[in-house]
Amino acid sequence: MTQDVLMQWIIVLPLLAIPGILLFHKKPNLREAATLIVGALLLIAVIAFYQGFDAGEAPYVHWWELMPGLDIAFRAEPLGVLFSLVAGSLWLVTSIYAIGYMRGHGEANQTRFYCCFAIAISGVMGLAFADNLFTLFVFYEVLTLSTYPLVTHAGTDKARHGGRVYLSILLSTSILFFLFAIIGTWSETGTLAFTAGGVFDDTTSKTVLSVLLVLFIFGIGKAAVMPFHRWLPAAMVAPTPVSALLHAVAVVKAGVFTILKVCVYIFGIDLLADLAVTDWLLYLATAGVLLASLVAMRQDNLKKRLAYSTVGQLGYITIGALLATQAGVLGGALHIVAHAFGKITLFFCAGAIMVAAHKTEISDMRGLGKSMPITMIAFFIGSMSIIGLPPAAGMWSKWYLFMGTLEADQLAVMIILMISSLLNIAYLLPIPLRAFFDGERSVVTIQRDQIKEAPWPSLLALSMTAIMTMVFFFWPQVFYGLAESLASVAGGTNG
């Protein structure tokens, strides 16, 4: 199979799970087997595609032209391949987790859940390989609309309210800012194609460029740049597999992926470095990292604490793009990977605790490690990755982000990122430590004999992602190679 055919299969393959899911909606084992089989095939396909790309093949596929200059087309480049590997890996793992969670928690509407999940992953793959801003925008909106039923899955008033906040913020930022930025780019350049070094020339005024950059940064609402971040905590009413999808596999990663892609392929880091507004946006993103970390510390609900943690961690990737340096781009791309595997582990653990122990508040989890040791060990490993401690993958991404701040002579930004990492320690590590060493003060000790680990599919999934966060510390070569290629493109070299 040629690379261009394989790339198209990667985009449509998740949709092929839907007929099987619908056909076997009354036979859960067969319904979920359809999801797992297609998920495994997708993983095989993205790995095979990466191998071809690594060998020097970079296919281009044109589907159709809506009107002159507005094409649905796809092209492989390092960041898109990196994103497809992350999403392809984690869809299968999240599907395994969802089987244990959805059954263990007795969730209704599971057929709809798996169908919407498949559409969302197809949207992610289309977005990852988008050759131009128009194609990216189409799949960006497909992702928004396909995840709305997942956010409102419970059907309660609280879920519907969370869904309204989710949809209103993401659609309004897309239409009012992102779409206008795309139109402005087309008006100035006559092209929407992602181009190494950017699409603007010296004839475009810096005022216009500054306005467009602001529109892009705030219009890409999925990146949760403050003050357009409220949708993310609001969406925590969704089941935990959906939270994992939002925070690790698809939605927020689509946001920061898009910011990185726009900064590298639409503006170019040399042009970004010349714009005064870039520094202001950089400082805004840095302030958002600090504020999100402070808010996370105050949350007793575990999923809300993790949600605000995600807002802060996304800021790291936005900062990497706005530093306008090769090290910053490299660190931002690596943080997409490190945060994905670390944060999905934490959300998997939160869901396992809720299903097995019926605990959602951190203050109720003292001593839980004696009943759920595998879950809490996995939580500890995921926490180390988010903090940036070895031997977890987050260390590499934060290292290069810090190098990027030095390269850009942004000492204040580096100091804030270090403070944020200390706050990460303060709001994450006490959770597993108290679970293992503070049992005497807990109500859980009374119930310890009744509490066991979550169903085995969930336990298997969270163990896999925890292990992978450490594997990527010792063997980061695949993702590092792709991130380094992206940084080389950003720096205008061939290496």
Side-chain angles (χ1 to χ4, degrees):
M1 185 182 295
T2 61
Q3 284 288 94
D4 56 345
V5 172
L6 184 57
M7 183 166 63
Q8 295 177 83
W9 268 112
I10 289 171
I11 297 168
V12 302
L13 192 56
L15 301 179
L16 299 183
I18 295 176
I21 294 169
L22 294 175
L23 179 64
F24 299 116
H25 68 281
K26 293 184 178 180
K27 298 179 179 179
N29 290 340
L30 294 177
R31 177 189 63 199
E32 284 141 22
T35 297
L36 294 178
I37 290 169
V38 175
L41 291 174
L42 181 65
L43 178 57
I44 292 169
V46 295
I47 291 173
F49 187 81
Y50 161 73
Q51 291 172 336
F53 181 81
D54 192 48
E57 299 180 55
Y60 169 81
V61 173
H62 183 272
W63 276 8
W64 67 81
E65 183 181 66
L66 276 75
M67 59 182 68
L70 292 182
D71 303 305
I72 300 294
F74 307 95
R75 187 187 303 274
E77 52 79 36
L79 184 61
V81 176
L82 179 146
F83 191 25
S84 70
L85 280 172
V86 171
S89 302
L90 292 180
W91 183 36
L92 178 60
V93 178
T94 305
S95 298
I96 294 171
Y97 178 87
I99 293 170
Y101 179 93
M102 302 296 277
R103 293 187 182 188
H105 203 235
E107 294 281 351
N109 302 314
Q110 293 187 32
T111 298
R112 184 182 67 191
F113 168 87
Y114 289 109
C115 287
C116 290
F117 212 138
I119 297 170
I121 296 300
S122 179
V124 167
M125 293 304 173
L127 183 145
F129 293 123
D131 175 60
N132 54 68
L133 277 170
F134 179 72
T135 304
L136 187 147
F137 184 79
V138 169
F139 283 93
Y140 184 96
E141 297 307 319
V142 166
L143 183 57
T144 299
L145 297 174
S146 63
T147 49
Y148 170 74
L150 297 174
V151 174
T152 60
H153 179 85
T156 62
D157 289 341
K158 188 177 180 181
R160 284 191 287 269
H161 173 73
R164 284 194 297 270
V165 173
Y166 176 81
L167 201 61
S168 61
I169 292 178
L170 291 187
L171 287 182
S172 61
T173 52
S174 288
I175 295 169
L176 295 177
F177 303 136
F178 193 14
L179 184 58
F180 271 94
I182 294 172
I183 294 170
T185 300
W186 168 257
S187 175
E188 286 293 323
T189 66
T191 182
L192 296 176
F194 293 117
T195 306
V199 299
F200 297 103
D201 56 31
D202 295 337
T203 62
T204 308
S205 76
K206 289 192 175 181
T207 300
V208 171
L209 290 169
S210 297
V211 171
L212 288 176
L213 181 59
V214 171
L215 289 174
F216 273 119
I217 296 299
F218 288 125
I220 303 169
K222 290 185 176 70
V225 175
M226 289 185 174
F228 300 106
H229 67 286
R230 287 184 54 249
W231 66 268
L232 209 160
M236 289 304 96
V237 296
T240 300
V242 177
S243 300
L245 170 73
L246 296 176
H247 288 258
V249 185
V251 179
V252 297
K253 292 304 180 297
V256 288
F257 165 86
T258 302
I259 283 183
L260 263 176
K261 192 138 183 173
V262 164
C263 288
V264 172
Y265 291 102
I266 297 298
F267 287 89
I269 62 173
D270 290 338
L271 178 57
L272 281 180
D274 286 339
L275 297 178
V277 75
T278 302
D279 282 345
W280 288 106
L281 292 170
L282 174 65
Y283 301 145
L284 176 67
T286 305
V289 169
L290 183 60
L291 288 172
S293 299
L294 291 171
V295 174
M297 289 186 65
R298 299 178 53 196
Q299 305 302 313
D300 191 39
N301 181 276
L302 181 53
K303 285 181 67 175
K304 283 190 176 180
R305 182 173 294 193
L306 296 180
Y308 280 103
S309 169
T310 296
V311 174
Q313 294 298 313
L314 295 178
Y316 280 79
I317 302 169
T318 303
I319 287 168
L322 293 174
L323 285 171
T325 65
Q326 284 183 277
V329 170
L330 176 58
L334 285 177
H335 205 60
I336 288 178
V337 181
H339 180 259
F341 283 89
K343 186 54 65 70
I344 203 169
T345 301
L346 297 182
F347 270 101
F348 281 174
C349 292
I353 292 168
M354 204 262 285
V355 168
H358 308 292
K359 306 292 181 186
T360 58
E361 308 304 303
I362 296 167
S363 56
D364 294 334
M365 296 178 187
R366 298 176 186 269
L368 196 58
K370 295 179 177 62
S371 302
M372 304 180 69
I374 297 175
T375 299
M376 297 315 300
I377 290 171
F379 193 98
F380 178 73
I381 294 170
S383 298
M384 287 197 300
S385 189
I386 300 302
I387 294 164
L389 295 174
M395 177 189 164
W396 298 125
S397 56
K398 288 199 174 184
W399 173 268
Y400 283 103
L401 286 169
F402 290 149
M403 292 301 102
T405 61
L406 294 176
E407 193 176 323
D409 197 25
Q410 294 285 357
L411 184 60
V413 175
M414 184 179 71
I415 292 171
I416 295 298
L417 292 183
M418 288 181 171
I419 292 172
S420 172
S421 292
L422 292 175
L423 293 174
N424 296 163
I425 294 173
Y427 68 69
L428 286 176
L429 281 191
I431 298 171
L433 292 178
R434 290 172 182 168
F436 282 110
F437 302 114
D438 208 7
E440 286 72 20
R441 299 172 55 189
S442 172
V443 294
V444 174
T445 54
I446 303 173
Q447 308 166 340
R448 188 177 298 154
D449 293 338
Q450 288 79 41
I451 296 176
K452 298 179 180 179
E453 293 279 11
W456 72 264
S458 298
L459 203 61
L460 174 64
L462 64 88
S463 299
M464 291 169 63
T465 55
I467 291 169
M468 292 309 293
T469 61
M470 294 191 295
V471 168
F472 293 145
F473 173 82
F474 293 104
W475 293 282
Q477 289 86 348
V478 169
F479 292 116
Y480 177 83
L482 291 168
E484 187 180 39
S485 296
L486 176 68
S488 296
V489 170
T493 67
N494 296 320

